Amino acid sequence: MSLFRFFLKKSEADEASDSFSSRGRTKDQEGVRQCVLSADAEHAELVYRLKRARRKTVGLRIDADGLTVTAPTRLARRAIDDIVRSKRAWIDRKLLEQRERQQLRPALQLVHDALLPYRGAHCRVDLRSQPKRSHWERLSDGPIVRLSAKDAQSPQSVRAALERLWKERALEVFEERLATFASRLTIAPRRVAVSSALTRWGSCSSSGSIRLSWRLLALDDELIDYVVAHELAHLVHMNHSPEFWREVQRLCPDCMERSARLKHYSIADLSF
Ligand SMILES: [Zn+2]
């Protein structure tokens, strides 16, 4: 959740009239209204929830419901819209981050026909109770994972089947991504292993082996590559010093932008 508090000038806080426009206005719960800020030359239309409260400041909050503005009871709607407009860059950025976070969540129910996040897109799950081996297939509308669980009704059994298949696939993908860095490496990893870590995307040991979580497959290849480059750079510098970051940058020139983007994702959200 992102919060922003906007302190009002005395004159704004004292403005008395409330000028709700009739367009797009509904009451969805006590004291909360849905408002629409119309599109202008630079911005698309923005829908937000407006809550009135006995307070002196305007608060902006972004969560799964989108933008909620909490404003003093008697502050004019025009003044509120001006504040929202002035914070538009921040709002749009936070809404985008929120959407990116949510994209991962609804997909994580391991049921038949579920869509799992996979390399920046999705793959469909075809879940059966059968002793056959699980496998991947690429259909015209994207990848599908034919998941064979001992008992398709048992979440544990389904999870185990998926994890087995995902680990195999992850190793193939990681090796493929690592190969793209090979010509730029000063030190090659001694070993690359797939982990089930739920706390870190990757790690590097002083013995020169790299471990990458199979959950990385939920991210797009740019982010997977960034994590791979990050761990490869640890083979040269076992710390996060400026020299380390120079090495990451050498392997992955826009690492800073990717590192910032990776922060929108929480590996803990990928616990099936
Ligand atoms: Zn690191």
Side-chain angles (χ1 to χ4, degrees):
M1 189 167 71
S2 306
L3 287 165
F4 191 92
R5 181 162 292 184
F6 199 95
F7 288 89
L8 297 168
K9 285 189 271 172
K10 183 89 171 62
S11 60
E12 287 173 324
D14 287 342
E15 232 175 298
S17 70
D18 197 337
S19 57
F20 277 109
S21 87
S22 58
R23 186 164 162 265
R25 185 186 75 178
T26 54
K27 252 190 166 172
D28 56 0
Q29 72 184 69
E30 193 75 63
V32 179
R33 281 167 194 272
Q34 190 136 319
C35 301
V36 181
L37 197 62
S38 48
D40 59 30
E42 284 168 64
H43 303 290
E45 182 178 273
L46 176 72
V47 178
Y48 67 90
R49 288 150 48 90
L50 177 61
K51 265 189 198 168
R52 295 288 182 170
R54 269 201 217 130
R55 55 186 286 161
K56 288 264 192 277
T57 59
V58 172
L60 307 181
R61 196 185 74 212
I62 312 267
D63 58 19
D65 294 330
L67 171 65
T68 303
V69 178
T70 314
T73 329
R74 290 155 71 81
L75 182 64
R77 171 68 192 285
R78 197 166 7 94
I80 298 169
D81 278 354
D82 283 347
I83 289 172
V84 172
R85 242 179 241 116
S86 75
K87 288 292 146 200
R88 202 50 205 271
W90 179 86
I91 291 167
D92 287 351
R93 194 174 69 242
K94 293 294 167 191
L95 284 172
L96 181 69
E97 288 174 12
Q98 183 72 34
R99 262 198 304 280
E100 289 194 326
R101 266 196 297 274
Q102 278 169 327
Q103 271 171 7
L104 293 174
R105 277 191 197 122
L108 294 183
Q109 284 194 338
L110 265 183
V111 291
H112 178 71
D113 241 8
L115 285 174
L116 297 181
Y118 177 72
R119 297 180 79 180
H122 288 98
C123 87
R124 190 171 293 283
V125 175
D126 172 28
L127 178 59
R128 314 270 156 128
S129 286
Q130 55 188 11
K132 271 173 65 178
R133 237 179 107 78
S134 302
H135 64 279
W136 288 84
E137 263 174 50
R138 184 159 283 279
L139 304 183
S140 56
D141 62 342
I144 185 161
V145 47
R146 309 270 187 212
L147 209 54
S148 307
K150 274 193 199 124
D151 174 6
Q153 301 303 315
S154 147
Q156 227 175 351
S157 164
V158 176
R159 255 199 313 272
L162 182 88
E163 189 166 334
R164 246 190 330 269
L165 191 67
W166 233 249
K167 275 182 163 171
E168 279 172 25
R169 183 74 189 117
L171 193 58
E172 288 166 17
V173 171
F174 296 155
E175 279 171 353
E176 173 196 308
R177 304 317 305 165
L178 276 161
T180 66
F181 291 102
S183 63
R184 279 167 286 164
L185 290 187
T186 44
I187 304 176
R190 286 168 63 99
R191 184 169 169 260
V192 177
V194 176
S195 81
S196 302
L198 253 180
T199 50
R200 42 168 47 174
W201 298 111
S203 61
C204 177
S205 76
S206 52
S207 65
S209 43
I210 284 177
R211 290 170 68 78
L212 297 162
S213 174
W214 57 263
R215 295 173 216 273
L216 267 173
L217 286 192
L219 308 182
D220 58 66
D221 284 4
E222 276 195 2
L223 293 182
I224 297 175
D225 281 356
Y226 162 68
V227 175
V228 171
H230 184 116
E231 299 312 329
L232 288 172
H234 276 317
L235 294 170
V236 187
H237 302 284
M238 279 302 274
N239 50 44
H240 290 115
S241 60
E243 293 73 34
F244 162 80
W245 283 107
R246 265 197 293 281
E247 179 65 10
V248 185
Q249 203 147 22
R250 196 179 65 77
L251 296 169
C252 177
D254 56 353
C255 61
M256 286 316 187
E257 188 245 320
R258 295 188 199 190
S259 157
R261 203 153 66 76
L262 183 65
K263 291 198 177 85
H264 303 165
Y265 298 93
S266 158
I267 192 169
D269 289 342
L270 300 169
S271 54
F272 296 106

